[in-house]
Amino acid sequence: MLLVVGCSNAMTACRELPAPVSVFETTAECMTARPFAVIDLQGQAQHVVARCLAVDPALEDDYDSII
């Protein structure tokens, strides 16, 4: 899963940004798409941070939020 967050200049206020594609079959596919997602969302916040997170598809119903 690709998580993209946009933050203020001081990195004190952040919010999740909508990734163009957020779910991938493999981590490698996510890592390949990550820099393009950051570029696509660059104007949405002063700092854009993206990270690929591994999730267990068997626990899909338990992922209602990311902490």
Side-chain angles (χ1 to χ4, degrees):
M1 182 173 110
L2 178 59
L3 175 65
V4 183
V5 177
C7 298
S8 65
N9 195 36
M11 300 290 281
T12 56
C14 299
R15 63 184 171 86
E16 183 177 354
L17 297 176
V21 178
S22 59
V23 179
F24 298 88
E25 188 72 28
T26 66
T27 301
E29 290 175 1
C30 183
M31 295 298 288
T32 300
R34 186 174 66 132
F36 298 106
V38 171
I39 290 168
D40 287 346
L41 297 169
Q42 206 59 25
Q44 303 266 337
Q46 292 174 327
H47 293 282
V48 177
V49 180
R51 173 172 263 180
C52 294
L53 306 171
V55 294
D56 184 346
L59 301 174
E60 178 181 0
D61 293 337
D62 295 339
Y63 292 128
D64 59 345
S65 64
I66 297 173
I67 300 172

